Amino acid sequence: MIGHIPQYAWTLMAGIIFLSYLIGSIPFGMLVSYIGGMGDIRQIGSGNIGATNVLRTGKKKLAVLTLLLDMGKGSFAIWCAYIFAINYTVQAESLAAIFVVVGHCFPVWINFKGGKGVATGLGVSLALTPIAGLLSCIVWLLAARLSRISSIGGLSAFVAWPLFIMIFNHLDLKTPLLFPALLISLLIFFRHRTNIYRLSNGTEPRIGEKNQKN
């Protein structure tokens, strides 16, 4: 993917990377919680700014709004890349996909301590690969519902997304959109490393339960 970008286009790509990172850095979970009168979401539950932790406030509508906004910023970054780099769509969208999730996970506005990337990643998947993204969202919903563990839903979705992309491209490992999907999935797994540890020893909280700050 990167090797196919001509040198003269890298200024534009750098702008897309920067814009996508800033879009991803918008801490919607914090903003929604403050506006909803719940205070600083980082002082509640796990301390995470994502929709799952907002749900621990007991405000389901705020959690749904956070989920939609975080998904929306992922899709919006892809849309911006398409508009601004119409001649290099795949490259621009791939970079936007990666860096909007990086921005969510490591937002500049709150000392680079952000969310775990699932909602933003799902928004990216829907915009970048609509059918594979939709199927990944279904996997996410089913896994979370059956297990009643949020992290299982998110991790399952990001195992499924690259697999769906490969299946729809006849197992072609060189398909361009597989690269950002794999990087995003790896980042999301990295951000869930404490969750994976708790899953392994059976202490991961179920949806609706409180857990200690990590």
Side-chain angles (χ1 to χ4, degrees):
M1 180 193 73
I2 301 300
H4 294 160
I5 301 173
Q7 187 173 359
Y8 67 83
W10 265 107
T11 300
L12 175 60
M13 296 301 161
I16 288 170
I17 288 171
F18 183 66
L19 176 62
S20 300
Y21 174 78
L22 290 181
I23 292 170
S25 289
I26 302 171
F28 282 122
M30 281 185 62
L31 296 174
V32 166
S33 297
Y34 272 121
I35 294 170
M38 302 309 298
D40 190 345
I41 190 63
R42 294 173 297 178
Q43 304 303 317
I44 297 172
S46 67
N48 192 270
I49 64 169
T52 299
N53 202 39
V54 175
L55 183 61
R56 293 189 178 102
T57 66
K59 302 291 185 179
K60 293 183 179 180
K61 291 182 180 180
L62 295 183
V64 170
L65 180 59
T66 300
L67 174 67
L68 294 176
L69 288 171
D70 281 344
M71 291 180 70
K73 68 184 181 184
S75 296
F76 181 66
I78 303 299
W79 180 81
C80 288
Y82 175 80
I83 294 296
F84 294 136
I86 192 69
N87 293 324
Y88 304 101
T89 303
V90 172
Q91 297 94 327
E93 290 182 347
S94 296
L95 289 170
I98 294 164
F99 282 93
V100 71
V101 178
V102 169
H104 178 79
C105 294
F106 307 103
V108 65
W109 316 117
I110 50 175
N111 299 319
F112 305 101
K113 296 178 181 179
K116 298 190 176 179
V118 171
T120 302
L122 289 173
V124 163
S125 74
L126 287 169
L128 199 64
T129 56
I131 297 176
L134 178 60
L135 291 173
S136 299
C137 288
I138 293 171
V139 169
W140 167 60
L141 289 170
L142 287 176
R145 184 177 180 84
L146 291 173
S147 67
R148 292 190 53 80
I149 297 176
S150 178
S151 58
I152 287 182
L155 294 171
S156 297
F158 286 94
V159 168
W161 185 32
L163 290 176
F164 285 135
I165 292 174
M166 286 192 291
I167 290 169
F168 293 142
N169 287 277
H170 310 290
L171 302 181
D172 181 6
L173 297 180
K174 294 183 179 180
T175 184
L177 297 180
L178 181 59
F179 176 75
L182 286 172
L183 279 186
I184 290 168
S185 297
L186 288 172
L187 175 57
I188 287 172
F189 267 75
F190 173 76
R191 294 291 290 165
H192 280 80
R193 59 196 184 280
T194 56
N195 304 82
I196 293 170
Y197 173 77
R198 290 194 297 267
L199 285 169
S200 68
N201 61 26
T203 59
E204 179 76 338
R206 296 183 179 274
I207 295 173
E209 291 180 356
K210 295 183 178 180
N211 70 337
Q212 295 181 355
K213 193 168 182 176
N214 54 46

